[in-house]
Amino acid sequence: MFSLRSPLQTGVLTACAAAALAFAAPAAAQDPVFEAFQSVCIAGDGAAAKAAAAVEADGGWTELDPAMFGADAPFDNLKAWMKPEGAGFQLVMTGDMTEPMPGMGAMAMNMGVCAVGGQPADVAAIEGAIQGWTGSSAPVADMNTPEYRGYVVSMQDGRPVPVDANISQEGLGARMMTGELRMIMVGEQGGVTMVMYMDPKMQ
């Protein structure tokens, strides 16, 4: 089973909730999380610098001090922004993380991550939009948990091509060597919906 540490530990949720108390905004007509994910993460192919530029150009975002996440910071080199949305908030995070690859010896994945979260948000609608964008009808079998589902694509000429949902760990590792693979994780934890765009590299 592919294992990814949760991006939303208790301390992260507490920090976000505390920050959200400082904001007030009118109700939103529809869920904007996937729209933000498209403009912040997909458009920049997950690059942290491009995500930061998109957030700055969008306006209305407040940069958060990474120290507020404490030991629960989900990524290394974390940068985070928040803005009010309806009765809740949106969150953007970028950073890096390293995950072991079971069955691949000492090899591990180093991933650049661009993530967008929202509370409240419709996780089913967002996952449907992810399936539409990736062209996948189901998450990868080894990346399907109660909290998060993972979709894998190969980026070819800027377009996503879905990878077989039954790909093995070994096959996934081999495909990562091409530099074309991207992983999309979507799920909900503690009432916050998160969708993450990951650019994995083997090391």
Side-chain angles (χ1 to χ4, degrees):
M1 171 70 74
F2 174 86
S3 177
L4 178 73
R5 73 177 185 263
S6 172
L8 290 176
Q9 302 293 344
T10 302
V12 176
L13 292 171
T14 301
C16 291
L21 291 175
F23 300 118
Q30 60 184 9
D31 192 299
V33 171
F34 184 72
E35 181 181 350
F37 183 68
Q38 283 184 304
S39 61
V40 175
C41 297
I42 292 176
D45 194 26
K50 292 181 179 179
V55 166
E56 186 174 328
D58 183 47
W61 294 86
T62 297
E63 186 168 358
L64 304 179
D65 182 355
M68 71 185 291
F69 295 95
D72 287 327
F75 313 127
D76 299 322
N77 303 311
L78 175 68
K79 295 196 72 173
W81 300 263
M82 177 179 281
K83 77 171 180 178
E85 191 65 51
F89 62 86
Q90 274 192 31
L91 179 70
V92 166
M93 294 188 289
T94 63
D96 305 285
M97 63 191 306
T98 300
E99 291 290 324
M101 285 290 290
M104 298 288 288
M107 299 187 76
M109 285 186 298
N110 180 263
M111 295 182 287
V113 184
C114 178
V116 175
Q119 186 187 57
D122 186 340
V123 66
I126 294 167
E127 187 161 4
I130 291 297
Q131 290 181 344
W133 181 75
T134 61
S136 305
S137 59
V140 171
D142 277 348
M143 299 168 63
N144 187 0
T145 72
E147 288 183 340
Y148 283 91
R149 275 78 60 202
Y151 297 83
V152 180
V153 298
S154 175
M155 295 301 291
Q156 299 177 14
D157 298 322
R159 298 173 62 88
V161 177
V163 168
D164 182 2
N166 293 310
I167 190 170
S168 66
Q169 292 285 344
E170 293 77 9
L172 190 62
R175 292 289 299 271
M176 284 180 191
M177 299 295 187
T178 68
E180 295 177 349
L181 282 195
R182 302 294 185 269
M183 296 166 29
I184 315 297
M185 300 290 291
V186 59
E188 185 176 29
Q189 183 180 2
V192 178
T193 295
M194 290 292 296
V195 57
M196 295 170 280
Y197 187 104
M198 302 175 175
D199 181 2
K201 300 289 189 294
M202 294 298 292
Q203 64 175 28

